């Protein structure tokens, strides 16, 4: 992808529906605004993201939410390295939720990659947002922060600031810039031995215009990037001082517990709150369009009183809908609709007709909830024409804008208080508005802060879900058992393009999507479409290999001649896992690979069947090519996290619908991998030196197929429907590994 | 009225006897290190110590801890140091959590640290099976492999 380094101008990006837009945020002047609006005393912003104070302390402002991915540290490392800063004097701050710190680079990155992704396009299509305003978000999602904000904004800002400091030093010392070098937050004039600290130069440098095309370091010049550096957010997370949205607190605060319409899209009809209103601490019962809330002086009191409220909701055509109905609709759609094209290569219909053999398989996955550990919550304090708000979010500016729009306030009059985010995984992105809207509407009834909290049950039953998806496959073979056609039909929508595509050299491919809309709201869920599609495609590839009598690893390698990065991670993971070697009795290895969000990940799962006839995952060996690693320990942590997140979904994850509403309510119904079920994980980072890939999501997609491919060898049963817990493996008929 | 000590400080609160300790700590005392995760004692985010033993505060009514000593994550280091030695900034468990870079989103880690601290105090050198059986907290970010490594390091220290 060609990126113009003169990066603050985005023109001609073709977005989603083909709209040609031109957008210019003249950010070179932004550091001036920052100096006018944000500095105290003699400290100076050198660029929008970097502040240097006279005692040579350097603050990097990070415009992304810290939700455990270590982004505050990684992005600061990128800026500090290009700046040649002394890392021990670098302070990391969350950038405030003001448009000065919007991270439009993310949108620009995606626009170059495959157009603005659906989870952001919603902002354009369904609201007052324009594409220009999309640039004005602080979104953290799509595994994008390091590869877009880091590469295009943070490194550039660091390099630009360094050049400005050198120019300031050249003027001060009256020497050419070519005689100056930088190290550990100082500019040095080597021949005279004179040095000036960045702090001494900051005031002069801030008056200079940032260079349009600062020179970035070569990897061999890195002094901070590439090192396993301790995350700056961790100390506060071990002594209880880290503040999350739920921790907003004031003496006069009120608390709201809320009951939303159990069937999505229905409205409140009537409320009897007589008994609730007599309860201790209850201040008011508030009726909203689709919900009823009890406001009290303590959350527990609000929740207890809410249980005493009788509420009725409108009846709708969805009141009797069950998961079985949805599944039947999906199957009917797949049987009757030709859908729309996702990818067509060659003549798949003809290849299927002329084939010596055809195999067919139907896969399905259920809806999934995000179930972040911090239940959804939002605190809003309306103060006349102003407001303050606190919420854990993946988009501070988006949330600020939403509260302003719901409350009818000017955006700049809403102050967003930054907090750590107790898990996001897509739930806390813009457009999953329900918590924000309800909290705002409730708070508008009061002049004190009101904290609205979803109980765990609300969180699970009022989510925006990973869609349930069905996928029908056919594969055709010639008389030498070579696979010659790949036919895939799946229920949509497509939220992230390309997830259903395969890298394998199969001559004829027909991949089409049919309508999968239901009344159940959906959203991005860690790795988005890759979470289901990789289970489908990497399982069916395994079926093809077994049918062809070729070792599944070898078949992949054979069909990936044009994809060296896939091959390399497969090779590294397989070798490290001992693929093809002797395993403990009763153990088997399953393998899967996927490219997503710019990274290539292969995973090998070592599995045996436990005494309860359920699989035990002993170890997962992972190889990832994410280009190179900014902070290798963070890379490993994200891989471990992504694998366990995906394993939870594969083993247990299932949101079902009965009578139009979600059945599951809390963790026992929606089980998680825990210590006892967590495998050993071994991570191998393959540094190809290519462009940086994402990390938050790419480890999640391959794990389900890696595990079920091993289960097939152990039991002879092909798991074509998740979760695994619903299968009975009592009658095992092991398959010989080919 | 409910009376109990939190991190060495006695509190008398005019609250219902069946109010869960979690909400007394969070909403009445304004101490936010102890987290709400599930409300049914399943995830462990709300774990605190009562007289040194880990309990899940979201289902423990204040009447059950009348007159007892409660330790939350904020008071863990001081409680571990006792009254005679100088106050520690962090306990060995907390330091191990930094050394092994365990927390990700970190929301569950107050509870995880409280659970592991109590567990190791009673079983300083646990087997893997004992770890599995005793540490049942949910971490949605999947910090389990690092938690296990940290427990092993603490056990062999």
């Amino acid at each position: 992808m060609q990126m113009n380094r003169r990066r603050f101008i985005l023109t001609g990006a073709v977005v989603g529906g083909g709209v040609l837009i031109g957008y210019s945020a003249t950010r070179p002047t932004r550091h001036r605004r920052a100096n006018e609006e944000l500095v105290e005393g003699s400290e100076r912003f050198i660029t929008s993201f970097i502040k240097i104070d006279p005692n040579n302390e350097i603050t990097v402002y990070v415009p992304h939410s810290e939700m455990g991915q270590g982004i505050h540290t990684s992005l600061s490392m990128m800026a500090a390295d290009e700046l040649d800063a002394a890392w021990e004097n670098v302070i990391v701050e969350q950038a405030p939720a003001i448009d000065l710190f919007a991270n439009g680079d993310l949108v620009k990155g995606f626009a170059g990659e495959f157009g603005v992704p659906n989870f952001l396009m919603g902002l354009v299509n369904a609201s007052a947002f324009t594409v220009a305003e999309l640039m004005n978000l602080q979104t953290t999602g799509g595994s994008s922060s390091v590869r877009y904000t880091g590469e295009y904004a943070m490194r550039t800002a660091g390099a630009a600031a360094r050049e400005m400091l050198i120019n300031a030093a050249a003027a001060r010392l009256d020497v050419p810039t070519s005689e100056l070098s930088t190290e550990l937050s100082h500019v040095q004039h080597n021949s005279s031995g004179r040095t000036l600290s960045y702090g001494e130069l900051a005031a002069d440098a801030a008056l200079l215009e940032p260079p349009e095309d600062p020179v970035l370091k070569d990897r061999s010049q890195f002094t901070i990037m590439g090192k396993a550096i301790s995350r700056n957010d961790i100390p506060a997370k071990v002594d209880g001082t880290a503040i999350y949205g739920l921790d907003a607190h004031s003496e006069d605060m009120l608390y709201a517990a809320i009951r939303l319409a159990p069937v999505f899209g229905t409205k409140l009809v009537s409320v009897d709150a007589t008994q609730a209103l007599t309860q201790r601490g209850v201040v008011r019962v508030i009726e909203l369009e689709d919900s009823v809330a009890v406001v009290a002086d303590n959350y527990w009191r609000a929740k207890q009183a809410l249980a005493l409220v009788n509420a009725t909701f409108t009846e709708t055509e969805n009141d009797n809908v069950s998961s079985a109905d949805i599944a039947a609709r999906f199957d009917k759609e797949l049987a009757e609709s030709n859908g729309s094209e996702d990818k067509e290569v060659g003549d798949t219909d003809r290849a299927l007709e002329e084939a010596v053999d055809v195999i067919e398989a139907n896969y399905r996955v259920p809806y999934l909830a995000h179930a972040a550990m911090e239940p959804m919550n939002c605190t809003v304090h309306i103060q006349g024409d102003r407001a303050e708000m606190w919420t854990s979010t993946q988009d501070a500016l988006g949330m600020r804008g939403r509260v302003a729009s719901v409350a009818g306030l000017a955006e700049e009059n809403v102050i967003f208080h930054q907090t750590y985010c107790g898990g996001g995984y897509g739930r806390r992105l813009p457009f999953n508005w329900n918590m924000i809207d309800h909290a705002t509407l409730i708070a508008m009834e009061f002049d004190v802060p009101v904290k609205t909290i979803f109980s765990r049950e609300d969180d699970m039953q009022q989510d925006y879900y990973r869609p349930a998806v069905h996928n029908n496959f056919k594969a055709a073979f010639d008389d030498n058992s070579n696979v010659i056609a790949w036919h895939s039909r799946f229920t949509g929508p497509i939220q992230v393009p390309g997830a259903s595509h395969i890298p394998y050299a199969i001559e004829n491919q027909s991949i089409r999507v049919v309508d999968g809309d239901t009344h159940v709201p959906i959203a991005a869920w860690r790795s988005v479409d890759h979470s289901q599609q990789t289970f489908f495609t990497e399982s069916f590839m395994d079926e093809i290999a077994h049918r062809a009598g070729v070792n599944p690893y070898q078949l992949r390698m054979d069909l990936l001649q044009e994809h060296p990065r896939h091959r390399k991670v497969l090779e590294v993971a397989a070798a490290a896992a001992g693929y093809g070697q002797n395993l403990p009795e009763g153990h088997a290895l399953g393998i899967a690979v996927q490219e997503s969000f710019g990274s290539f990940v292969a995973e090998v799962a070592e599995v045996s069947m436990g005494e309860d006839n359920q699989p035990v995952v002993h170890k997962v060996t992972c190889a990832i090519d994410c280009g190179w690693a900014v902070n290798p320990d963070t890379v490993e942590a994200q891989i471990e996290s992504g694998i366990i997140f995906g394993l939870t979904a594969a083993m247990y994850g299932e949101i079902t619908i009965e009578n139009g509403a979600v059945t599951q309510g809390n963790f026992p119904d929606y089980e998680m991998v825990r210590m006892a079920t967590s495998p050993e994980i071994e991570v191998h980072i393959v540094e190809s030196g290519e462009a940086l890939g994402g990390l938050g999501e790419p480890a999640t997609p391959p794990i389900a197929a890696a595990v079920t491919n091993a289960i097939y060898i152990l039991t002879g049963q092909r798991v074509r429907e998740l979760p695994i817990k619903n299968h009975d493996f009592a009658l095992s008929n092991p398959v010989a590994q080919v | 009225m409910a009376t109990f000590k939190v991190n060495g400080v006695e509190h008398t609160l005019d609250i219902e006897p069946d109010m869960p300790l979690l909400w007394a700590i969070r909403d009445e005392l304004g101490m936010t290190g102890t987290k709400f995760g599930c409300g049914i004692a399943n995830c462990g985010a709300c774990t605190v110590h009562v007289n040194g033993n880990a309990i899940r505060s979201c289902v423990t009514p204040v009447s059950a801890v009348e007159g007892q000593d409660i330790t939350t994550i904020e008071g863990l280091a001081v409680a571990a140091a006792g009254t005679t030695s100088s106050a520690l900034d962090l306990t060995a468990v907390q330091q191990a959590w930094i050394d092994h870079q365990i927390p990700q989103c970190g929301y569950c880690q107050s509870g995880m640290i409280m659970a592991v601290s109590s567990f190791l105090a009673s079983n300083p050198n646990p087997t893997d099976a004992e770890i599995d059986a005793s540490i049942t907290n949910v971490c949605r970010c999947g910090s389990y492999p690092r938690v296990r490594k940290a427990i092993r390091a603490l056990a062999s220290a």
Side-chain angles (χ1 to χ4, degrees):
Chain A
M1 174 174 57
Q2 280 286 38
M3 293 299 296
N4 186 343
R5 187 70 62 64
R6 189 170 174 173
R7 29 176 298 287
F8 301 118
I9 300 169
L10 169 66
T11 50
V14 177
V15 178
V19 188
L20 194 69
I21 53 129
Y23 176 67
S24 156
T26 53
R27 209 166 328 174
T29 61
R30 282 190 178 192
H31 73 290
R32 296 247 173 88
R33 266 185 69 198
N35 277 325
E36 286 159 18
E37 294 178 15
L38 291 175
V39 298
E40 290 174 12
S42 49
E43 60 192 17
R44 284 291 176 270
F45 275 87
I46 302 293
T47 77
S48 298
F49 300 106
I50 295 170
K51 187 179 80 179
I52 300 180
D53 75 10
N55 69 9
N56 216 17
E57 209 163 67
I58 292 165
T59 307
V60 180
Y61 285 82
V62 176
H64 280 287
S65 303
E66 180 59 78
M67 45 194 187
Q69 78 281 44
I71 200 59
H72 282 182
T73 306
S74 298
L75 289 184
S76 302
M77 288 168 69
M78 299 176 90
D81 200 330
E82 293 291 351
L83 180 60
D84 265 343
W87 177 249
E88 58 272 21
N89 296 331
V90 172
I91 297 167
V92 184
E93 292 263 359
Q94 175 81 48
I98 54 178
D99 56 11
L100 192 64
F101 291 102
N103 57 24
D105 298 283
L106 174 149
V107 178
K108 194 165 92 169
F110 276 125
E113 192 172 320
F114 47 48
V116 176
N118 248 18
F119 71 88
L120 289 175
M121 270 315 288
L123 291 167
V124 179
N125 293 331
S127 78
F129 281 92
T130 64
V131 171
E133 285 168 314
L134 245 183
M135 299 289 286
N136 222 9
L137 296 173
Q138 284 183 337
T139 297
T140 304
S143 300
S144 62
S145 307
V146 163
R147 57 197 181 118
Y148 298 144
T149 305
E151 281 290 82
Y152 305 142
M154 287 297 172
R155 288 185 67 186
T156 309
R162 180 178 160 274
E163 287 186 21
M164 291 156 76
L165 289 159
I166 288 176
N167 288 333
R172 181 90 59 91
L173 300 175
D174 195 20
V175 297
T177 56
S178 60
E179 293 180 10
L180 298 172
S181 64
T182 53
E183 191 180 24
L184 299 173
S185 303
H186 286 78
V187 181
Q188 297 161 350
H189 184 237
N190 298 330
S191 55
S192 70
R194 287 178 291 177
T195 69
L196 289 164
S197 78
Y198 287 177
E200 291 174 87
L201 294 164
D204 288 358
L207 297 174
L208 304 174
E209 201 62 27
E212 284 175 10
D213 199 8
V215 179
L216 300 188
K217 286 183 177 179
D218 181 78
R219 278 181 68 199
S220 63
Q221 298 171 296
F222 291 170
T223 56
I224 298 170
M225 287 186 272
K227 292 199 166 81
I229 285 181
S230 293
R231 274 169 41 210
N232 83 313
D233 57 315
I234 285 185
K237 291 175 175 176
V238 306
D239 66 7
T241 57
I243 298 296
Y244 299 81
L246 192 76
D247 300 333
H249 185 78
S250 73
E251 287 300 318
D252 58 353
M253 176 174 280
L254 294 174
Y255 302 82
I258 188 165
R259 186 185 307 157
L260 274 73
V263 179
F264 304 109
T266 55
K267 308 292 178 205
L268 185 68
V269 174
S270 67
V271 169
D272 177 359
T274 317
Q275 213 187 338
L277 284 165
T278 66
Q279 300 300 301
R280 178 173 170 187
V282 171
V283 177
R284 203 178 302 176
V285 172
I286 295 176
E287 296 177 29
L288 298 172
E289 192 184 6
D290 63 352
S291 55
V292 56
V294 174
V295 180
D297 61 357
N298 171 302
Y299 175 68
W300 176 75
R301 290 190 183 119
K303 186 78 187 151
Q304 295 290 105
L306 183 65
L308 303 173
V309 171
N310 287 314
T312 57
F313 295 90
T314 50
E315 292 178 5
T316 77
E317 57 187 12
N318 296 320
D319 288 359
N320 297 314
V321 170
S322 68
S323 284
D325 297 328
I326 292 171
R329 247 211 46 217
F330 285 0
D331 284 341
K332 185 167 184 281
E333 195 70 29
L334 283 168
E336 295 175 0
S337 167
N338 195 32
S340 53
E341 177 179 334
D342 186 355
K343 183 179 181 185
E344 292 280 359
V345 180
D347 189 342
T348 302
D349 285 347
R350 187 170 153 190
L352 285 165
E353 272 170 34
E354 296 177 354
V356 170
D357 189 23
V358 172
I359 61 171
E360 179 170 7
N362 292 299
Y363 283 81
R364 56 171 70 170
V365 294
Y367 292 105
L368 293 175
H370 296 82
M373 286 309 294
E374 179 189 2
M376 294 302 289
N377 65 87
C378 180
T379 300
V380 178
H381 184 193
I382 303 284
Q383 304 150 49
D385 66 348
R386 308 184 66 80
E388 291 181 72
M389 69 172 296
W390 296 255
T391 191
S392 295
T393 183
Q394 293 177 246
D395 196 320
L397 275 174
M399 298 303 140
R400 184 186 75 150
R402 186 65 178 190
V403 168
S405 115
V406 172
L409 303 175
E411 265 189 52
E412 59 271 24
N413 284 353
V414 178
I415 296 170
F416 182 94
H417 292 277
Q418 296 285 358
T419 63
Y420 287 121
C421 183
Y425 321 117
R427 174 63 176 98
R428 291 183 154 107
L429 283 168
F431 262 79
N432 306 336
W433 293 130
N434 61 3
M435 165 53 69
I436 305 301
D437 289 2
H438 291 100
T440 307
L441 292 167
I442 292 165
M444 285 169 70
E445 304 287 321
F446 300 91
D447 57 6
V448 296
V450 184
K451 186 194 295 184
T452 303
I453 303 175
F454 273 5
S455 67
R456 175 57 60 193
E457 290 79 6
D458 299 330
D459 187 273
M460 201 164 283
Q461 296 174 343
Q462 301 291 342
D463 200 348
Y464 299 77
Y465 301 86
R466 198 287 304 273
V469 183
H470 288 203
N471 201 330
N472 166 259
F473 286 108
K474 289 173 192 161
F477 298 86
D478 67 12
D479 50 11
N480 288 319
S481 286
N482 295 311
V483 57
I484 53 168
W486 172 275
H487 163 108
S488 167
R489 298 285 181 276
F490 61 93
T491 56
I494 294 173
Q495 295 193 83
V496 169
S500 62
H501 301 182
I502 50 169
Y504 303 108
I506 298 176
E507 202 181 329
N508 303 288
Q509 298 181 24
S510 173
I511 304 170
R512 302 182 75 87
V513 57
V514 304
D515 177 28
D517 281 350
T518 71
H519 75 296
V520 180
I522 60 164
W525 183 98
R526 195 172 191 169
S527 79
V528 205
D529 299 26
H530 291 277
S531 75
Q532 70 268 15
Q533 287 295 342
T534 307
F535 167 62
F536 298 153
T537 58
E538 283 296 279
S539 293
F540 193 58
M541 269 311 290
D542 230 60
E543 294 203 49
I544 289 170
H546 285 280
R547 158 62 188 78
V550 183
N551 171 290
Y553 165 74
Q554 195 54 51
L555 181 71
R556 286 176 171 85
M557 294 297 275
D558 292 346
L559 296 178
L560 287 169
Q561 301 296 340
E562 304 293 315
H563 295 274
R565 297 178 78 186
H566 286 82
R567 282 173 62 94
K568 184 70 179 176
V569 291
L570 275 169
E571 210 172 87
V572 169
Y579 198 89
Q581 296 171 22
N582 288 335
L583 290 170
E585 180 70 25
H587 288 219
L589 298 179
I591 195 163
V593 64
Q594 179 76 346
E595 174 194 358
S596 67
F597 305 95
S599 287
F600 299 72
V601 177
E603 288 166 14
V604 180
E606 182 175 341
V607 183
S608 72
M609 298 308 291
E611 285 169 15
D612 57 355
N613 288 316
Q614 279 292 310
V616 177
V617 182
H618 298 274
K619 183 176 178 183
V620 178
T621 306
C622 173
I624 176 167
D625 171 3
C626 54
W628 49 282
V630 172
N631 187 343
D633 189 58
T634 301
V635 174
E636 288 191 25
Q638 285 302 294
I639 298 305
E640 292 161 6
S641 177
I643 287 171
I644 289 170
F645 202 88
L647 185 60
T648 284
M651 297 291 279
Y652 314 112
E654 172 178 47
I655 290 292
T656 53
I657 306 297
E658 274 314 319
N659 298 322
V662 169
T663 316
Q664 291 73 19
N666 210 315
F667 287 128
D669 314 330
Y670 193 70
E671 184 54 304
M672 301 278 127
V673 167
R674 305 186 191 221
M675 287 297 287
T677 42
S678 176
E680 180 188 347
I681 296 174
E682 188 179 299
V683 180
H684 298 266
I685 300 173
V686 175
E687 296 222 335
S688 62
E690 298 285 338
L692 284 173
L695 288 168
E697 294 166 281
T700 298
I703 188 61
V707 171
T708 56
N709 290 345
I711 290 174
Y712 178 72
I713 294 165
L714 292 166
T715 68
Q717 291 188 43
R718 176 59 63 181
V719 175
R720 297 194 182 95
E721 182 173 348
L722 297 179
I724 294 165
K725 74 174 171 76
N726 291 349
H727 294 263
D728 179 5
F729 299 105
L731 298 172
S732 288
N733 184 17
V735 174
Q737 176 66 283
V738 282
Chain B
M1 286 293 175
T3 301
F4 48 84
K5 275 190 188 172
V6 179
N7 302 331
V9 178
E10 186 164 291
H11 296 275
T12 297
L13 299 171
D14 174 18
I15 55 175
E16 301 86 325
D18 56 342
M19 180 181 289
L21 179 59
L22 171 68
W23 298 109
I25 290 171
R26 286 186 60 87
D27 290 0
E28 301 297 314
L29 299 179
M31 298 173 66
T32 56
T34 307
K35 303 304 188 196
F36 166 54
C38 70
I40 57 168
N42 187 274
C43 78
C46 66
T47 304
V48 300
H49 294 174
V50 176
N51 304 326
N53 300 314
I55 59 113
R56 293 186 172 176
S57 65
C58 70
V59 296
T60 304
V62 292
S63 59
V65 297
E66 182 67 25
Q68 313 282 302
D69 274 320
I70 318 288
T71 304
T72 68
I73 186 72
E74 292 97 333
L76 184 63
V78 174
T83 50
T84 51
S85 64
S86 60
L88 292 169
D89 287 337
L90 295 175
T91 64
V93 173
Q94 288 170 311
Q95 187 59 49
W97 252 237
I98 294 175
D99 296 344
H100 290 83
Q101 295 281 293
I102 291 175
Q104 291 193 23
C105 90
Y107 189 83
C108 74
Q109 296 296 344
S110 294
M112 191 74 87
I113 289 168
M114 296 307 282
V116 170
S117 298
S118 163
F119 171 61
L120 283 175
S122 64
N123 186 357
N125 199 0
T127 63
D128 273 334
E130 287 167 340
I131 295 170
D132 290 346
S134 298
I135 306 302
T136 57
N137 298 41
V138 175
C139 170
R140 190 70 167 124
C141 300
S143 62
Y144 309 114
R146 290 176 181 230
V147 169
R148 189 181 303 278
K149 278 181 197 152
I151 292 174
R152 282 181 183 149
L154 287 160
S156 59

